Amino acid sequence: MKISYNWLKQFIKLPEDAEKTGELLTDLGLEVEGIERFQSLKGGLDGIVVGHVLSCEKHPNADKLQLTKVNLGNGEEVQIVCGAPNIATGQKVPVATIGTTLYDENGDAWPIKKGKIRGETSYGMICSEKELGLSDSHEGIMVMNPELQPGTPVADIFKIENDSVFEVGLTPNRADAMSHWGVARDLKAGYQQGGQNLELITPSVSSFHVDNRSLRIPIKVENSNLAPRYCGVTLSDVKVGTSPDWLQNRLKAIGITPKNNVVDITNYVMHELGQPLHAFDAAKISGNEINVKTLPAGTKFTTLDEVERELHEEDLMICDAEKPICIAGVFGGISSGVTEHTNQVFLESAYFNPVSVRKTAKRHGLNTDASFRFERGIDINSVEYALKRAALLIKELAGGEITSDLDDIYIKKIEDFQVFLTFEKVNKLIGENLQEETIKSILASLEIRVNNVTETGMGLTIPSYRVDVQREADVIEEILRVYGYNNIKFSDKLNASVAFSSKFEDYKLQNLISNQLMGQGFYEAMTNSLTTPVYAKLSEEIKKEYNVEMLNPLSQDLSVMRQSMLFSSLEAISYNINRKKNRLKLFEFGKTYHNYVSGRNENKHLSLSITGNRRAESWNIPSQKSDFFYLKGIINSVLERLGIKEFKASATKNDHFSEGLALNSQKSRLVEFGMVKKSILKHFDIQQEVLFADFNWEAVVEASAMQQNIFFEIPKYPAVRRDFALLLDNSVSYEEIEQIALQTGKKLLKEVNLFDVYQGKNLPEGKKSYAVSFMFQDENKTLTDKQVDKIMGKLQQRFEKELNAELR
């Protein structure tokens, strides 16, 4: 936000320069990110002085050039070559002296140097109005008032405005500081804390009066919740034209292009007082009435930018008797704006519901100075005052008369907020014991009224323009920023205690697994917990009635809290694939949110997403696609790293997956994973396979904490390996083989591993071949072939009997 230093001085006589004032603003919480120099005329006419032409002779080497002698003051006479046809002896002219920088119409710099023109030296340049930037006239040099003294700076004659403009990084809560008046209020409080009591000069509206009642436009507000206060007044015989220089300079300094005096006044008052205004051409208001209401969805409306928009049923509109003429608090309509032909004006000042304005602006992709202020909350008590201020300025600068009473529709008065402030809380949060009188002084400078004082605290009334101060902590923050963060003393002593921390703390396990996954080639993702309700249509796992809905959503696409980690992960995958990143391995720690009948529930998850090849392309390693078993291996490594070894696998019923598994502990489900269904991928325009795993992180942490670490001595005796190639029915799972083997081998069988699977030629129909290895070891002695063969024989018998297996 831009704030003009000169404009501030209209409200408060600042005792310091712009640099010092900027430092105070930053200390007060209005961070000044930079200070820019503004000149109403680029270059400020610096180095340009009044010259007196003493003589004018024809150039000896050019027919269209003149040699002049010019007095620049203080007895200094210089020779200047001039080509203007109207140059003559005795004239007073503007002279750009050597070292001066002029600017062309594109803003490019043009330095004036000593030079030779056709063999004659020229010590400067006699300028036209266009070369000075005063007008487009360049038919000849500018002839000035003959009474002017040579050497007089031309900038003093034309009253060039030099200003310093603060770029303030305004935080969203500081709606009260969205104007020069609001910033001046803060400066007054800051200087008062420093011992300087400065007067705050308020623009007077005491001269406001109705000249006649020849043009009354009745106002009707259908929904006072969306428009709690609406004021309007009419002015007639207005002459729309160019604004005076002072008004144009104020607007230009803060980056606003002047349009005409009426529109410029509404912009001026908005940036002066923080109250948005809108001026309508009263002649274009059909039926001479204003209706503030919503319209049916799909209604067409063309805004000032000539874009036809389709209205939402919740968009608040300003309408006349026949049609909408303005989107309330956001943007005007093309058919009702003020033009050079306007002579009757209806002037609007209102307080619109901040949530309603924000939703409307977001829906239509609009961000205006007015919506910026209405969204954050303006001072409802300044609505009438700002309207009077603008009406008086229009009378002053555009003529005309006030031709109606000021209509003020304010059905339900909003009371100022009450807060009780305890001294103990003040001292605790600030970290320093402030005197009661100091607190009272700061509150008074902030216009926070003290209603009563007790031994424990104060009862306060917050002014209406501080819409962000509604809690005791907010008041303490106000006291602290005025008292000065830099004035808080810090102790040299630091007290701390050592607390016991379990190795199973959530954050420790989270860091442990994050490091492991990063080592396996994963990148951590952080996606938005807000999502669209449309995803409920993609899966039966997502119940619409379980959505946690936002009361004030930024948009329809971010209107509910997510019930699943899958869809936000797919959004990230789709985004990357569209940018040619086809090989992805992502993990995310996040939460899901559910609004069950029993109450709202929040669950923490770890999600894994894999798509594309396992490794980057390389000349010496063949490409290999990521598949279900690759994901399963990653999952097993995560559980193993957390010490979780006991779990059971079962088929998942989650309809996110075309095929998948669930791993369960004795108490709860640990993880579900599988191949994401193509119908879901199609919604995100993803044409390659995506593998996804969803860990119930809270259950994983609980299961990890229940595991006991048992340490064993490293075996001294060698292990023995035996292999079986088993011909099995397709219905037999590896899990069944592993269970039978471990039951049979008991203590000697240490490991079972499936190292090859074959299905195809040379095998009977409905059969498959598993190659399984068995690792045996005795901690006390070396195993003999006889012992191992005995166990392998038992295994063969059980496989043949229970699984109908055959040895190949």
Side-chain angles (χ1 to χ4, degrees):
M1 184 183 71
K2 295 184 182 295
I3 294 293
S4 160
Y5 177 70
N6 287 350
W7 201 339
L8 285 176
K9 290 194 290 186
Q10 292 180 203
F11 299 114
I12 185 170
K13 294 182 179 179
L14 296 171
E16 297 176 310
D17 61 17
E19 293 286 342
K20 291 291 184 183
T21 304
E23 290 176 10
L24 178 57
L25 284 174
T26 298
D27 290 342
L28 288 167
L30 300 176
E31 183 181 358
V32 175
E33 298 174 342
I35 302 177
E36 298 177 357
R37 185 184 178 195
F38 168 79
Q39 294 174 312
S40 55
L41 194 64
K42 191 166 185 179
L45 301 179
D46 292 343
I48 301 173
V49 298
V50 175
H52 182 200
V53 181
L54 301 176
S55 65
C56 182
E57 300 175 356
K58 185 179 179 182
H59 193 292
N61 302 318
D63 294 337
K64 294 184 179 181
L65 298 179
Q66 304 288 330
L67 285 180
T68 64
K69 290 285 184 182
V70 182
N71 176 14
L72 299 181
N74 299 323
E76 181 184 3
E77 296 181 7
V78 297
Q79 176 177 283
I80 298 177
V81 178
C82 180
N86 64 331
I87 186 71
T89 301
Q91 291 175 336
K92 298 291 176 63
V93 294
V95 178
T97 57
I98 293 173
T100 298
T101 300
L102 298 177
Y103 295 88
D104 63 20
E105 56 191 7
N106 296 321
D108 296 328
W110 176 21
I112 302 300
K113 302 176 181 178
K114 173 186 172 182
K116 279 194 174 184
I117 303 176
R118 293 292 183 94
E120 296 293 335
T121 305
S122 182
Y123 295 89
M125 176 179 169
I126 302 174
C127 303
S128 67
E129 290 185 17
K130 183 174 182 179
E131 289 160 341
L132 295 178
L134 296 172
S135 75
D136 292 330
S137 175
H138 59 93
E139 296 173 354
I141 54 116
M142 180 180 184
V143 179
M144 306 182 75
N145 189 332
E147 303 297 326
L148 294 172
Q149 292 298 314
T152 303
V154 173
D156 294 345
I157 299 169
F158 290 100
K159 298 180 180 178
I160 301 301
E161 173 111 2
N162 290 288
D163 197 358
S164 295
V165 180
F166 304 109
E167 184 65 47
V168 178
L170 193 68
T171 52
N173 64 305
R174 291 302 306 276
D176 63 296
M178 292 189 296
S179 66
H180 287 76
W181 171 248
V183 173
R185 267 192 313 240
D186 258 23
L187 285 171
K188 179 180 183 296
Y191 279 116
Q192 184 171 320
Q193 177 62 21
Q196 301 183 66
N197 290 319
L198 304 180
E199 180 186 1
L200 199 58
I201 303 166
T202 308
S204 175
V205 295
S206 59
S207 61
F208 180 88
H209 67 278
V210 179
D211 296 301
N212 60 69
R213 294 175 174 81
S214 59
L215 182 61
R216 182 173 182 270
I217 297 181
I219 300 169
K220 181 181 179 183
V221 178
E222 291 189 4
N223 190 333
S224 60
N225 291 325
L226 299 182
R229 190 173 190 183
Y230 191 95
C231 296
V233 70
T234 64
L235 296 97
S236 300
D237 298 326
V238 172
K239 293 181 180 179
V240 178
T242 304
S243 298
D245 290 342
W246 69 265
L247 177 52
Q248 291 195 46
N249 289 338
R250 287 286 177 265
L251 296 178
K252 287 178 181 177
I254 58 174
I256 295 178
T257 303
K259 293 181 176 61
N260 59 57
N261 48 9
V262 174
V263 173
D264 291 349
I265 286 168
T266 61
N267 284 327
Y268 177 83
V269 173
M270 176 171 63
H271 288 275
E272 178 187 50
L273 303 177
Q275 171 65 50
L277 303 165
H278 193 78
F280 299 90
D281 187 332
K284 298 175 182 177
I285 299 176
S286 301
N288 266 17
E289 64 179 65
I290 289 291
N291 296 307
V292 184
K293 61 182 181 179
T294 55
L295 295 174
T299 303
K300 305 292 184 182
F301 179 67
T302 303
T303 44
L304 278 170
D305 55 1
E306 300 182 359
V307 175
E308 185 180 74
R309 303 177 188 276
E310 194 171 287
L311 299 180
H312 188 273
E313 66 267 17
E314 294 180 359
D315 292 338
L316 185 65
M317 302 297 295
I318 311 301
C319 307
D320 58 21
E322 299 175 357
K323 61 188 181 301
I325 56 177
C326 178
I327 303 177
V330 180
F331 210 21
I334 195 169
S335 63
S336 61
V338 172
T339 67
E340 65 273 15
H341 305 296
T342 299
N343 62 7
Q344 294 180 321
V345 172
F346 174 77
L347 196 59
E348 165 199 279
S349 179
Y351 178 95
F352 297 117
N353 184 289
V355 174
S356 172
V357 172
R358 186 181 301 115
K359 286 182 177 180
T360 297
K362 291 292 182 184
R363 272 194 291 266
H364 296 289
L366 295 170
N367 183 21
T368 62
D369 284 341
S371 67
F372 178 80
R373 286 159 175 78
F374 280 124
E375 286 175 17
R376 285 155 178 79
I378 60 170
D379 180 10
I380 196 167
N381 289 335
S382 71
V383 171
E384 181 184 11
Y385 169 67
L387 185 62
K388 290 181 178 179
R389 169 73 168 150
L392 291 174
L393 283 173
I394 291 175
K395 283 188 67 175
E396 177 186 344
L397 304 181
E401 297 177 329
I402 296 175
T403 50
S404 75
D405 291 315
L406 190 154
D407 281 344
D408 185 1
I409 311 299
Y410 193 9
I411 297 173
K412 185 177 180 182
K413 184 175 174 59
I414 298 177
E415 300 295 332
D416 290 341
F417 208 80
Q418 307 292 318
V419 173
F420 188 80
L421 178 70
T422 58
F423 298 129
E424 181 184 2
K425 193 68 174 289
V426 171
N427 297 330
K428 182 179 179 181
L429 287 186
I430 292 179
E432 190 169 311
N433 293 331
L434 300 186
Q435 297 294 322
E436 184 178 323
E437 290 305 315
T438 301
I439 295 174
K440 286 183 178 179
S441 174
I442 293 174
L443 292 175
S445 69
L446 293 169
E447 300 180 10
I448 297 177
R449 190 169 71 248
V450 179
N451 301 323
N452 55 74
V453 181
T454 67
E455 291 183 1
T456 58
M458 304 176 181
L460 307 175
T461 298
I462 310 301
S464 58
Y465 60 81
R466 289 313 305 268
V467 294
D468 61 315
V469 180
Q470 297 191 348
R471 303 172 302 163
E472 184 182 19
D474 298 330
V475 177
I476 296 172
E477 182 183 0
E478 291 298 296
I479 295 170
L480 179 55
R481 71 180 183 85
V482 175
Y483 180 75
Y485 291 97
N486 296 332
N487 294 326
I488 301 298
K489 297 174 183 177
F490 293 90
S491 172
D492 295 331
K493 185 179 179 182
L494 180 65
N495 296 322
S497 59
V498 179
F500 170 75
S501 178
S502 169
K503 67 178 181 179
F504 298 107
E505 290 284 349
D506 186 304
Y507 75 94
K508 290 184 178 180
L509 296 182
Q510 188 170 317
N511 288 338
L512 181 72
I513 297 305
S514 295
N515 290 333
Q516 174 170 318
L517 291 171
M518 288 172 64
Q520 292 174 313
F522 281 78
Y523 287 91
E524 183 169 11
M526 297 180 69
T527 60
N528 202 336
S529 295
L530 297 175
T531 188
T532 172
V534 172
Y535 293 152
K537 300 177 182 178
L538 301 180
S539 169
E540 293 182 3
E541 292 290 319
I542 309 298
K543 304 292 186 183
K544 185 177 179 181
E545 58 269 24
Y546 294 161
N547 277 334
V548 178
E549 298 180 350
M550 303 300 294
L551 294 176
N552 182 25
L554 291 172
S555 69
Q556 187 63 21
D557 289 340
L558 299 172
S559 60
V560 298
M561 305 292 281
R562 65 185 174 193
Q563 292 188 48
S564 171
M565 300 284 288
L566 172 64
F567 302 111
S568 51
S569 297
L570 292 178
E571 287 174 356
I573 290 173
S574 176
Y575 181 90
N576 279 274
I577 289 176
N578 289 337
R579 285 152 184 80
K580 307 303 180 184
K581 300 292 184 182
N582 299 317
R583 189 179 66 85
L584 298 167
K585 291 197 284 187
L586 307 175
F587 76 93
E588 179 182 10
F589 287 95
K591 292 184 177 181
T592 59
Y593 308 85
H594 311 269
N595 188 18
Y596 296 130
V597 177
S598 58
R600 292 182 177 176
N601 195 20
E602 186 175 318
N603 300 317
K604 190 168 185 179
H605 296 257
L606 164 63
S607 68
L608 305 181
S609 305
I610 302 175
T611 187
N613 292 333
R614 297 188 187 184
R615 303 180 188 86
E617 291 181 346
S618 176
W619 65 273
N620 62 348
I621 301 176
S623 296
Q624 187 177 7
K625 284 189 176 182
S626 301
D627 56 21
F628 179 85
F629 296 102
Y630 176 66
L631 174 62
K632 184 181 179 184
I634 298 291
I635 292 168
N636 285 336
S637 70
V638 169
L639 296 176
E640 185 177 343
R641 186 67 183 88
L642 294 171
I644 303 173
K645 298 179 181 179
E646 295 183 5
F647 51 81
K648 292 184 178 180
S650 62
T652 180
K653 297 180 180 179
N654 192 322
D655 70 348
H656 292 166
F657 306 113
S658 56
E659 54 180 298
L661 286 177
L663 302 183
N664 309 294
S665 67
Q666 292 180 350
K667 291 186 176 181
S668 56
R669 178 156 294 181
L670 298 176
V671 57
E672 286 182 299
F673 63 97
M675 195 82 69
V676 179
K677 288 171 67 173
K678 289 186 178 180
S679 59
I680 294 178
L681 297 180
K682 185 178 179 180
H683 180 84
F684 295 89
D685 197 25
I686 298 174
Q687 298 177 1
Q688 60 191 60
E689 292 181 347
V690 175
L691 299 155
F692 182 77
D694 183 12
F695 287 84
N696 180 352
W697 184 250
E698 289 157 348
V700 168
V701 171
E702 182 182 355
S704 177
M706 293 175 62
Q707 303 300 316
Q708 291 184 350
N709 291 327
I710 302 174
F711 297 91
F712 298 94
E713 183 181 357
I714 297 175
K716 298 177 182 180
Y717 301 97
V720 178
R721 170 173 166 161
R722 290 284 191 274
D723 296 341
F724 270 164
L726 299 172
L727 185 64
L728 302 160
D729 294 333
N730 284 337
S731 60
V732 176
S733 68
Y734 167 70
E735 184 181 13
E736 294 176 90
I737 297 172
E738 186 180 44
Q739 288 178 353
I740 291 173
L742 293 174
Q743 290 170 3
T744 304
K746 296 182 180 179
K747 294 183 179 181
L748 296 182
L749 181 59
K750 301 300 182 183
E751 184 180 329
V752 183
N753 181 48
L754 175 66
F755 63 88
D756 188 41
V757 177
Y758 177 74
Q759 288 177 292
K761 291 182 180 180
N762 302 323
L763 290 183
E765 187 176 349
K767 296 288 187 177
K768 60 185 176 181
S769 175
Y770 276 4
V772 185
S773 66
F774 305 89
M775 195 69 71
F776 300 93
Q777 191 173 40
D778 192 330
E779 288 84 0
N780 302 312
K781 61 182 179 180
T782 301
L783 286 173
T784 65
D785 288 340
K786 187 177 181 180
Q787 288 176 293
V788 176
D789 291 342
K790 184 178 180 180
I791 298 173
M792 292 297 291
K794 290 181 180 179
L795 286 175
Q796 180 179 349
Q797 291 176 4
R798 291 198 64 181
F799 289 152
E800 290 173 348
K801 181 179 180 181
E802 297 179 28
L803 302 179
N804 194 28
E806 298 178 28
L807 286 183
R808 295 187 65 197

